[in-house]
Amino acid sequence: MPDKDTPDKGGARKRRLKPLCVVRVLEPEQVAAFGGTSFTSYRVLTLAPAGHPREGVYDVRRRYSDFDVLRSILASRYTGMILPPLPGKGSVFSYFSAGFHENRIRGLALFAERLARIPTLLLDSLTSSFFGLPGSDDWESAVRKSDA
């Protein structure tokens, strides 16, 4: 987003952009659930640099279904807006295939990075909760509110 016009050496005006958030998805972790099942959670690390309205480092854990819920709700809130895609859910068998986790992490990271670059979506209350930004509800409360 343009912040200010600043002259360059030749006198022409250059636009200085507001700094963008950097998002990383890493450290998959198997979590045991009820009934002997398990799921994978991912660390979502968000860095909003100096000068960004939400400046700071935010660290949360999310599972694939959280990414999916976020995208579904945003798609219904912002009808017509093109949202970044999520990687496919995969089957039980693909879960054990070589490269599955690396590809999923890469796809989730691309989704989160692209989402964070769209100011309207980043400042949405649900997205803010997903990334654990200050002043936002916890993720579960935000999802419940959006379903109401």
Side-chain angles (χ1 to χ4, degrees), residues 7 15 30 40 106:
R15 293 221 176 249
Q30 282 297 120
T40 304
R106 190 174 312 115

Side-chain angles (χ1 to χ4, degrees), residues 65-105:
S65 61
D66 295 332
F67 286 85
D68 194 36
V69 165
L70 174 64
R71 190 178 191 291
S72 295
I73 294 172
L74 291 176
S76 67
R77 279 187 187 172
Y78 299 98
T79 307
M81 182 180 277
I82 298 172
L83 297 174
L86 278 174
K89 180 126 175 104
S91 69
V92 173
F93 300 109
S94 64
Y95 185 80
F96 296 104
S97 67
F100 173 80
H101 290 290
E102 293 80 8
N103 289 334
R104 176 169 279 182
I105 288 171

Side-chain angles (χ1 to χ4, degrees), residues 137-148:
D137 292 329
D138 68 275
W139 173 240
E140 289 78 17
S141 297
V143 171
R144 276 194 305 275
K145 282 182 183 178
S146 68
D147 287 340

Side-chain angles (χ1 to χ4, degrees), residues 67 70-71 84-87 106-116:
F67 286 85
L70 174 64
R71 190 178 191 291
L86 278 174
R106 190 174 312 115
L108 293 175
L110 278 171
F111 169 79
E113 275 277 340
R114 290 175 179 165
L115 199 66

